[in-house]
Amino acid sequence: MASEHSLTYDAVSYGGTAAKPDFDKKSGPAGLVVFFGLLAVGLAFTAYSLNRDLAAAHVPPLAFGAFALLGVALLIALGFEFVNGFHDTANAVATVIYTHALPPTAAVIWSGVWNFLGVLVSSGAVAFGIISLLPVELILQVDSGSGFAMVFALLIAAIVWNLGTWWLGLPSSSSHTLIGSIIGVGLANQFMHLSGGTSGVDWSKAQDIGLSLLLSPILGFGFAALLIIVMKRVVKAPALYQEPKSDQPPPLWIRALLIFTCTGVSFFHGSNDGQKGMGLIMLILIGTVPTAYALNRSMPATEVMAFETVAAKAQAALVAQSNGVASPADPRAVVTAYLQSRTLTPQTVPALAALSGSIGDQVNQYGSLAAVPAQSTANVRNDMYVASEAYRILDKTKAVTFSEDGKAATKAFRADLDKSTKFIPTWVKVSVAIALGLGTLVGWKRIVVTVGEKIGKTHLTYAQGASAEIVAAAMIGAADGFGLPVSTTHVLSSGVAGTMAANGSGLQWGTLRNMLTAWVLTLPASILLAGGLFFVFSKIF
């Protein structure tokens, strides 16, 4: 990383008289020391926090093989977020760099900091929304060989495709890649067990996520185009609609606007994209050390005390809809079959009622989640996970008509179940935040040049840069609120294209064709890559 004062700009002009940023400055020793120092701190913090949690949960020392597997899996998961940092976050800084609102080094450092903060305040909804796409039996058996094969296949396939598109300078989507990898694993799992009644992908959830990924670039293009048209009518400031004439920063108020919009995109990118790695890390931790991470051991005792009461109310609401059918001998097996087939049978509701009551009894028996013995932890978590997913699907499909009190009871119980199993420790957020933030500082030039120079035929004006960033920040923030992944790459690059079209600046169709090709190929390529890797790893683990 070059120091800020050392950055200069080429006198070469393009798209008019605007000066092109100089990206050729090499990292100085101080920058390298800071980078590798932060990397060492992040890895040390991860190791310390993991060891502290294991000691608090009284987990015996791991065998060398299990310890090595855990370490490699965590490094690959953090590597995915590192690659995500320079692959996707480059989009956030392209506009401030090409409008000279910030020098390149200052821009990527600023973006890295706000990515870091975005990860820290994320809710986790996106993380567990993506995980719910996976086949239910792999989630329940994440500590098995198939579970590890799943995690490694997902991560390696996503990293390989992201690195390939980055090398070609194509703004492809990490979110798109990860979803394709999940679908690939689900389909491979289904084809490998055609006679075993296993599930593939949760296609209803995949449809929601796929629609989000499909619509986001279309909406990004349209809203950014509309915004710049409205700005021209409302904001009568000629300087805002001009391209930079030199390497000098824009007027102060325009510069502040551009930096603010870059900050918003970086923050919301961290809060949305950072969650993908978190969810996969939690799968790794649950699979290798379930005693410490399968259940939320930090849940307050006051909430645990009310758990049985809420469970009993939900059970009663389900019993009222059971039509007198007795609960089966193995309630979880019946509910799991419902999750796999999405077919409601006469036994489904009484089975879920019995499972809900059993969960309440188990929590009451132990007194707190932290007191659940090691040999029972995975079983209790799997009961909770299956019940929560069943409640989610029943609510979405409206397959059962509850009274108002019944709706409230089942909703409250599902919320308690999710608090017990769908949690992310602070150290996981910090580790992912460091990986994403450091990734932002590396390798960003290829994508920045594509967004800044190769989408439109003219240089970005200040208004175009701000419009694209405002739309991107708003859409990513909205998707985060709904617990849906969205592509920063697709939203922002399509936003830039929208502003160019609305401004009559012209588009470079060769670049757009390449981007569209990458967008079309990402799903099938990641599906095939992850599916193939899952098949291979299933034979190894």
Side-chain angles (χ1 to χ4, degrees):
M1 295 176 294
S3 59
E4 181 177 340
H5 67 271
S6 69
L7 289 167
T8 59
Y9 296 87
D10 287 340
V12 178
S13 297
Y14 66 101
T17 59
K20 178 179 178 180
D22 179 14
F23 297 114
D24 296 328
K25 294 295 182 180
K26 303 298 182 182
S27 298
L32 292 175
V33 169
V34 171
F35 178 85
F36 285 106
L38 289 173
L39 179 62
V41 168
L43 293 175
F45 175 74
T46 300
Y48 165 77
S49 301
L50 180 61
N51 184 67
R52 181 195 59 198
D53 286 354
L54 297 184
H58 306 293
V59 177
L62 298 175
F64 177 78
F67 180 79
L69 194 63
L70 173 60
V72 170
L74 288 177
L75 285 176
I76 294 176
L78 292 173
F80 167 77
E81 285 299 341
F82 182 84
V83 173
N84 189 8
F86 67 73
H87 186 273
D88 279 22
T89 310
N91 294 276
V93 298
T95 56
V96 290
I97 290 175
Y98 274 87
T99 56
H100 307 304
L102 284 174
T105 298
V108 294
I109 291 175
W110 181 258
S111 180
V113 168
W114 285 98
N115 265 280
F116 179 92
L117 295 175
V119 175
L120 292 185
V121 302
S122 58
S123 64
V126 174
F128 294 109
I130 289 177
I131 287 176
S132 66
L133 279 173
L134 291 164
V136 64
E137 62 273 4
L138 291 183
I139 297 294
L140 299 181
Q141 300 168 11
V142 71
D143 57 340
S144 66
S146 295
F148 287 114
M150 168 188 70
V151 172
F152 279 104
L154 289 177
L155 289 170
I156 293 175
I159 289 173
V160 168
W161 184 255
N162 281 344
L163 285 176
T165 53
W166 164 80
W167 182 256
L168 295 173
L170 295 175
S172 135
S173 165
S174 294
S175 301
H176 210 163
T177 305
L178 185 58
I179 300 306
S181 298
I182 289 175
I183 293 174
V185 167
L187 292 176
N189 179 65
Q190 191 170 27
F191 291 144
M192 289 167 63
H193 304 90
L194 287 175
S195 61
T198 60
S199 62
V201 178
D202 182 347
W203 290 111
S204 62
K205 186 70 176 177
Q207 184 178 4
D208 293 341
I209 293 175
L211 193 62
S212 171
L213 292 173
L214 174 65
L215 290 180
S216 56
I218 298 173
L219 295 177
F221 184 97
F223 284 143
L226 180 62
L227 179 58
I228 196 168
I229 292 172
V230 172
M231 286 177 66
K232 283 185 173 182
R233 293 181 178 273
V234 175
V235 183
K236 304 297 184 180
L240 188 61
Y241 309 103
Q242 298 175 0
E243 65 184 38
K245 299 302 181 185
S246 68
D247 61 357
Q248 296 303 308
L252 181 61
W253 73 273
I254 296 177
R255 190 181 192 187
L257 174 64
L258 290 164
I259 294 174
F260 175 76
T261 56
C262 168
T263 301
V265 172
S266 300
F267 179 84
F268 286 119
H269 174 265
S271 70
N272 192 282
D273 274 43
Q275 294 190 52
K276 303 174 180 79
M278 291 180 205
L280 294 173
I281 286 176
M282 289 309 299
L283 281 181
I284 294 166
L285 294 173
I286 291 167
T288 50
V289 278
T291 304
Y293 296 106
L295 296 173
N296 187 359
R297 299 170 60 86
S298 63
M299 180 181 265
T302 52
E303 293 185 20
V304 175
M305 290 172 61
F307 192 96
E308 185 185 19
T309 302
V310 177
K313 290 181 179 180
Q315 182 182 18
L318 288 164
V319 169
Q321 301 296 323
S322 296
N323 298 319
V325 178
S327 61
D330 189 349
R332 191 170 86 189
V334 174
V335 178
T336 301
Y338 169 62
L339 297 181
Q340 293 172 327
S341 67
R342 298 295 194 272
T343 301
L344 192 71
T345 69
Q347 284 193 314
T348 301
V349 173
L352 182 56
L355 186 61
S356 301
S358 173
I359 292 170
D361 292 340
Q362 291 178 81
V363 172
N364 181 61
Q365 174 189 350
Y366 300 122
S368 71
L369 296 182
V372 177
Q375 63 271 22
S376 301
T377 299
N379 185 64
V380 173
R381 180 192 181 275
N382 286 345
D383 282 353
M384 290 181 170
Y385 180 84
V386 166
S388 173
E389 287 298 289
Y391 280 116
R392 177 180 69 84
I393 295 169
L394 285 178
D395 179 60
K396 183 175 182 178
T397 60
K398 310 299 181 186
V400 177
T401 305
F402 292 107
S403 65
E404 289 303 316
D405 289 342
K407 287 180 184 177
T410 55
K411 182 178 180 181
F413 186 49
R414 182 187 166 199
D416 280 354
L417 292 172
D418 288 347
K419 287 179 186 176
S420 303
T421 58
K422 297 179 180 180
F423 67 101
I424 299 174
T426 301
W427 72 263
V428 172
K429 289 187 176 184
V430 172
S431 299
V432 168
I434 292 174
L436 190 65
L438 289 178
T440 304
L441 306 180
V442 177
W444 43 270
K445 177 185 173 183
R446 291 176 183 272
I447 305 298
V448 165
V449 170
T450 297
V451 174
E453 299 181 25
K454 299 180 180 180
I455 292 179
K457 291 184 177 179
T458 62
H459 192 287
L460 274 173
T461 67
Y462 303 126
Q464 287 174 321
S467 297
E469 296 265 24
I470 289 171
V471 168
M475 290 186 63
I476 298 168
D480 196 28
F482 286 108
L484 292 170
V486 71
S487 169
T488 302
T489 303
H490 289 164
V491 172
L492 196 134
S493 57
S494 63
V496 171
T499 64
M500 291 289 177
N503 208 40
S505 306
L507 296 169
Q508 297 191 41
W509 290 105
T511 300
L512 296 183
R513 278 195 299 269
N514 290 338
M515 290 171 59
L516 180 61
T517 300
W519 186 85
V520 171
L521 290 179
T522 292
L523 265 184
S526 53
I527 287 172
L528 290 173
L529 186 57
L533 288 173
F534 178 74
F535 177 80
V536 173
F537 291 151
S538 295
K539 304 300 181 182
I540 297 174
F541 291 107

